[in-house]
Amino acid sequence: MSARANQIALDAANDVGTQYYWASFMNAGAMYDWATGGLALNLVGQSEDHAICCFEYPMLLAARRGYLSADDARKIIGALMDSGFNAESFETTWTKVWNDWPDFPFSGTYWRPRRGDLVFYRSNTGIGGDTNHVVLSLGPDNADNIEVISFGEGLQNPTQAAVTRSTVNGLRQQGHSAVKYVAPPWY
């Protein structure tokens, strides 16, 4: 695990309970506004007009630390938009390979999201398209569950929402099917 991954995970854990304005990926865009010079970073997520989605939340944390440049954010968001937020199509923009979460409980950290990895969920219901939620992994807890920081889970209409802490399997039980994870390019 890199020092950057650890710092982002710590920032996310400290942010639990903090509220931001949420909107779906197609309606959010505050990180893109920041990346194109149209919005100050401290305004991202702070109003309905500057809402963020679940995927933009980890990007916001990375940008605050200086780990994600505006140019890199534009490239990432552009690739997401070009792929229709399809996990398999989007894979080519990452520097690391995707890993599939196994369909059964698995002991140990092999083939499990590490601290700082992004975890992508697919939906059983089709809500949100191919990929309908993205969270940040905190790695395993004392009971060997992979803890995650989530923003906007289960929301469909723009609203103000709090950052929450859960587990990979806890969120899967709330209607998700396939789970993939990857180290983000800002590490």
Side-chain angles (χ1 to χ4, degrees):
M1 165 187 50
S2 75
R4 286 182 173 197
N6 189 53
Q7 188 59 61
I8 295 295
L10 286 171
D11 290 350
N14 289 331
D15 217 16
V16 169
T18 301
Q19 297 216 352
Y20 297 94
Y21 284 86
W22 177 90
S24 67
F25 177 73
M26 298 310 288
N27 296 314
M31 282 303 295
Y32 189 76
D33 292 343
W34 166 75
T36 56
L39 184 65
L41 188 59
N42 66 331
L43 297 177
V44 171
Q46 299 303 307
S47 70
E48 288 180 35
D49 292 335
H50 306 306
I52 57 175
C53 67
C54 60
F55 180 73
E56 288 176 301
Y57 175 70
M59 292 178 72
L60 173 61
L61 295 175
R64 284 181 179 163
R65 283 278 169 193
Y67 302 158
L68 178 67
S69 70
D71 185 52
D72 288 339
R74 271 193 313 275
K75 290 176 186 172
I76 291 168
I77 294 168
L80 263 173
M81 294 166 94
D82 290 346
S83 76
F85 207 53
N86 177 296
E88 275 71 23
S89 297
F90 185 59
E91 176 180 344
T92 58
T93 66
W94 298 97
T95 58
K96 306 287 184 187
V97 276
W98 287 94
N99 293 300
D100 288 311
W101 181 264
D103 290 331
F104 53 88
F106 192 81
S107 179
T109 58
Y110 185 70
W111 293 113
R112 304 227 9 229
R114 295 168 300 167
R115 190 170 178 86
D117 282 355
L118 295 181
V119 180
F120 291 73
Y121 288 88
R122 287 188 176 195
S123 172
N124 290 333
T125 63
I127 294 172
D130 180 40
T131 300
N132 79 328
H133 195 50
V134 180
V135 298
L136 181 75
S137 172
L138 295 180
D141 64 12
N142 291 337
D144 205 29
N145 297 303
I146 298 297
E147 289 190 294
V148 295
I149 298 296
S150 176
F151 173 68
E153 162 59 27
L155 299 177
Q156 294 182 22
N157 298 313
T159 189
Q160 194 172 22
V163 174
T164 61
R165 189 172 186 149
S166 186
T167 64
V168 166
N169 285 331
L171 289 179
R172 272 189 89 171
Q173 294 169 359
Q174 295 176 19
H176 296 106
S177 56
V179 177
K180 291 183 176 270
Y181 60 97
V182 66
W186 49 81
Y187 295 149

